Amino acid sequence: MNRSLTLDDWMIAGIAVVAGLITAFLSRMLLRWLGKHALRTNWSGDDLIVAALRTLVPAAAVAGGIASAAAVLPLTSSVGHTVNRTLTVLLILVSTIAAARFIAGLVRSLAQSRSGVAGSATIFVNITRVVVLAMGFLVMLQTLGISIAPLLTALGVGGLAVALALQDTLANLFAGVHILASKTIQPGDYIRLSSGEEGYVVDINWRNTTVRQLSNNLVIIPNAQLAGTNMTNFNRPEQQMTLLVQVGVGYDSDLDHVERVTTEIVAEVMTEITGAVPDHEPAVRFHTFGDSRISFTVILGVGEFSDQYRIKHEFIKRLHKRYREEGIRIPAPTRSVALHPAGAALPESALIEAVMPQQAGIPQQREGSISVQQPPTASRG
């Protein structure tokens, strides 16, 4: 200190600090106003820029006011150097945090705007944030006069020990990156694992993948397990899918009539039910002469996996009603078993009786039901 502090010095320093505070307050109010207008635009980049500036500009204004006050005051070189270094470190810290938020938000926005990138996968966002914060931390150490070369050497040696201790965690991390890079699954896809778990992919983070079942429960699956198992993705290569419904009619039915009626119901369901594919071409394919019916497959178009239950429900209801109106039977299989007295010779025709379609007027029996015919017992004389 070359001279003693005077009242004028304190006043000028106080004015500089107050000016910095006022500038910080006004800039924050201005950026808040700009943020409200940025929300009305379709581009999300302006929101990220304003959010980053709301963190950086007020802090820079306060730091500038303090630095101006320190320059006015007759401080010694060592004290002035310490103050300037401290303010520089604080500005680097604030800038690093603002840059981490901006770049992470930019990565998230870019991912959500592209169908080929994981829209809500936080693994890329987290990796980006960690990298930016680590770089800012190294710059802070260099500003403080701490050599980062030994630190990098120690981190390299210690990284090997950490990698050995965190094998499972690193395996999940790289498995998650591999899953996203290979575009095997993306958030929003409906998947089914060979182990039975299925649902919509909610998020893929650095350690696990979150899957939401149709019952609204969450299933947490480690990335390494997800990458190493057999999996069906119902959204790849396209979201639309076909639904196969098995139907059977009696042998006395007119198959041309059955096909025509079934096709009309398919076209009706595809047009009126939400989630169906209106331009789907109705398809009915007969394929099997069964024991009591002629079986065929009806092919329906479904917009996405979860729509199949509603579409199948409506199709079966409408098809059953229309079959009853048209007189088309859907027979239930029946089997007759004849019991004979012990020791009596059984004719060959009685060993296995052919399964016949159920006749009109006979109550329908459940699938696999058995009717037993008991011969009359001879009366004793």
Side-chain angles (χ1 to χ4, degrees):
M1 179 180 296
N2 299 326
R3 59 183 177 83
S4 61
L5 292 173
T6 63
L7 181 60
D8 293 338
D9 295 333
W10 287 110
M11 290 182 62
I12 296 175
I15 291 173
V17 173
V18 171
L21 293 175
I22 293 176
T23 304
F25 175 77
L26 293 178
S27 62
R28 189 169 182 84
M29 296 296 295
L30 176 61
L31 291 171
R32 181 178 298 178
W33 178 79
L34 292 175
K36 293 180 180 179
H37 286 272
L39 292 175
R40 302 175 185 175
T41 62
N42 296 327
W43 184 47
S44 59
D46 52 359
D47 301 333
L48 299 175
I49 294 174
V50 172
L53 292 178
R54 287 179 64 180
T55 303
L56 180 59
V57 173
V62 174
I66 297 175
S68 300
V72 171
L73 295 176
L75 304 177
T76 61
S77 59
S78 60
V79 175
H81 181 69
T82 302
V83 172
N84 291 331
R85 178 178 292 183
T86 303
L87 293 176
T88 303
V89 169
L90 291 178
L91 282 178
I92 293 175
L93 177 61
V94 175
S95 302
T96 301
I97 296 175
R101 291 178 179 177
F102 174 75
I103 297 177
L106 189 63
V107 171
R108 184 184 292 107
S109 177
L110 181 64
Q112 292 176 350
S113 63
R114 295 189 177 184
S115 59
V117 185
S120 61
T122 59
I123 183 171
F124 289 140
V125 177
N126 292 334
I127 291 176
T128 302
R129 184 181 292 112
V130 169
V131 170
V132 174
L133 292 176
M135 293 177 61
F137 178 73
L138 294 178
V139 173
M140 288 174 54
L141 293 180
Q142 190 71 26
T143 303
L144 292 174
I146 301 175
S147 178
I148 62 175
L151 178 61
L152 294 177
T153 304
L155 290 176
V157 176
L160 296 177
V162 173
L164 293 175
L166 300 177
Q167 292 185 16
D168 295 338
T169 301
L170 293 178
N172 289 323
L173 173 62
F174 289 109
V177 174
H178 170 71
I179 290 173
L180 294 175
S182 63
K183 300 180 182 179
T184 305
I185 60 174
Q186 303 291 335
D189 292 352
Y190 192 95
I191 63 173
R192 177 184 294 164
L193 305 184
S194 58
S195 55
E197 295 88 354
E198 63 178 79
Y200 289 99
V201 178
V202 177
D203 189 21
I204 304 175
N205 57 32
W206 62 275
R207 189 178 186 277
N208 50 53
T209 299
T210 304
V211 176
R212 178 175 58 84
Q213 297 178 324
L214 294 179
S215 59
N216 217 27
N217 297 324
L218 296 180
V219 179
I220 310 301
I221 305 173
N223 292 333
Q225 177 182 345
L226 186 64
T229 187
N230 295 330
M231 175 183 59
T232 303
N233 191 336
F234 292 94
N235 288 65
R236 308 288 171 178
E238 60 182 10
Q239 191 173 9
Q240 293 185 359
M241 55 178 293
T242 56
L243 173 62
L244 306 181
V245 181
Q246 305 299 326
V247 189
V249 295
Y251 277 89
D252 57 347
S253 302
D254 183 356
L255 297 187
D256 291 332
H257 183 214
V258 171
E259 183 177 5
R260 182 173 59 257
V261 171
T262 306
T263 301
E264 293 176 359
I265 297 299
V266 173
E268 178 183 324
V269 170
M270 292 295 98
T271 305
E272 299 179 1
I273 303 303
T274 304
V277 182
D279 57 351
H280 171 75
E281 182 179 356
V284 178
R285 298 293 182 263
F286 296 95
H287 56 76
T288 304
F289 288 101
D291 291 339
S292 60
R293 65 182 68 187
I294 297 178
S295 301
F296 59 95
T297 300
V298 181
I299 304 176
L300 306 174
V302 181
E304 63 171 317
F305 184 87
S306 60
D307 293 331
Q308 63 174 314
Y309 303 104
R310 178 176 59 258
I311 295 173
K312 188 174 183 179
H313 166 78
E314 290 293 334
F315 172 73
I316 292 177
K317 282 175 53 180
R318 300 188 182 197
L319 186 67
H320 180 261
K321 180 180 179 181
R322 184 67 182 277
Y323 276 7
R324 293 186 64 181
E325 295 175 353
E326 299 289 339
I328 300 175
R329 293 188 308 104
I330 305 178
T334 61
R335 188 180 302 274
S336 299
V337 179
L339 302 180
H340 296 268
L346 298 179
E348 182 178 355
S349 60
L351 293 177
I352 301 177
E353 186 172 334
V355 177
M356 301 298 293
Q358 190 175 16
Q359 301 298 326
I362 301 178
Q364 292 187 358
Q365 300 179 1
R366 299 173 62 182
E367 186 79 15
S369 60
I370 299 178
S371 59
V372 180
Q373 299 178 353
Q374 178 68 37
T377 305
S379 58
R380 296 183 180 180

